[in-house]
Amino acid sequence: MWRRGKPTLFLDQGQRGWVRRLQERSGNAVWCIGRQRGKSFAALTLACETALGTPGAIIRYAAKTKDSARQIVLPTLEQILQWCEPHLRPEIDETHSTVKWVNGSVLTWAGTDAQSFDRLRGPRAHLILLDEAGFYQDLEMVESALLPQLTTTKGKAL
């Protein structure tokens, strides 16, 4: 599945359905799904698929705080990447909160507290993942700062 650029095929049937609906529909989406069902796992697997399938893709991941972002991203990616072939495995840089693939795709993570989401700003993004967005201090401010990045790429936000 990794060689084919389709790691989302490793997801369970429900998770694959969430991802498929997001990919097939135009615009952004909100997943209203119960706790411990695998939303972050599915979203970060989608991030890997986007990175593999779109050379130079820019992916943003935000959580409530910097620490919560790190505590979600790192162990979840390790779990996802355990099946990844070594030559496709990205480099994870904890110091700079980034994941870099050989094809130039990059995932950057940050918290949304104290406006630390500013580090996720940029001219464009292909995928923006707003994890646990209901707990952000100011979701509207985060969205107004990050969502315009999708305009030129016709990317999606979750």
Side-chain angles (χ1 to χ4, degrees):
M1 299 307 158
W2 282 99
R3 256 184 272 132
R4 290 177 42 203
K6 296 290 183 188
T8 58
L9 293 175
F10 286 115
L11 298 173
D12 70 30
Q13 183 178 0
Q15 292 166 323
R16 282 193 310 271
W18 309 336
V19 169
R20 185 182 65 251
R21 284 188 293 279
L22 174 65
Q23 291 171 325
E24 290 173 351
R25 293 182 181 153
S26 63
N28 303 324
V30 174
W31 286 348
C32 297
I33 301 161
R35 294 193 50 73
Q36 297 300 311
R37 181 56 191 89
K39 297 178 296 294
S40 298
F41 186 88
L44 286 166
T45 302
L46 173 61
C48 291
E49 187 164 294
T50 301
L52 289 170
T54 308
I58 298 170
I59 303 158
R60 313 286 189 199
Y61 175 93
K64 183 178 177 183
T65 66
K66 177 178 84 172
D67 288 339
S68 65
R70 184 177 41 77
Q71 290 169 355
I72 295 168
V73 169
L74 294 176
T76 304
L77 277 180
E78 283 304 318
Q79 188 178 10
I80 293 165
L81 295 171
Q82 70 182 331
W83 299 290
C84 184
E85 297 181 28
H87 69 282
L88 296 174
R89 191 176 176 91
E91 175 188 327
I92 299 173
D93 181 346
E94 290 184 49
T95 305
H96 295 101
S97 305
T98 59
V99 181
K100 296 179 182 178
W101 280 262
V102 175
N103 69 359
S105 294
V106 177
L107 178 148
T108 305
W109 71 84
T112 59
D113 56 326
Q115 293 194 322
S116 58
F117 62 87
D118 280 344
R119 71 178 306 277
L120 298 177
R121 289 180 185 264
R124 68 185 178 285
H126 298 83
L127 180 63
I128 297 174
L129 304 172
L130 303 175
D131 206 351
E132 303 282 347
F135 298 104
Y136 294 1
Q137 289 176 353
D138 192 340
L139 177 58
E140 286 183 25
M141 186 181 294
V142 173
E143 288 178 333
S144 68
L146 301 183
L147 296 185
Q149 296 178 71
L150 301 170
T151 306
T152 58
T153 62
K154 297 190 181 359
K156 294 187 182 251
L158 173 63

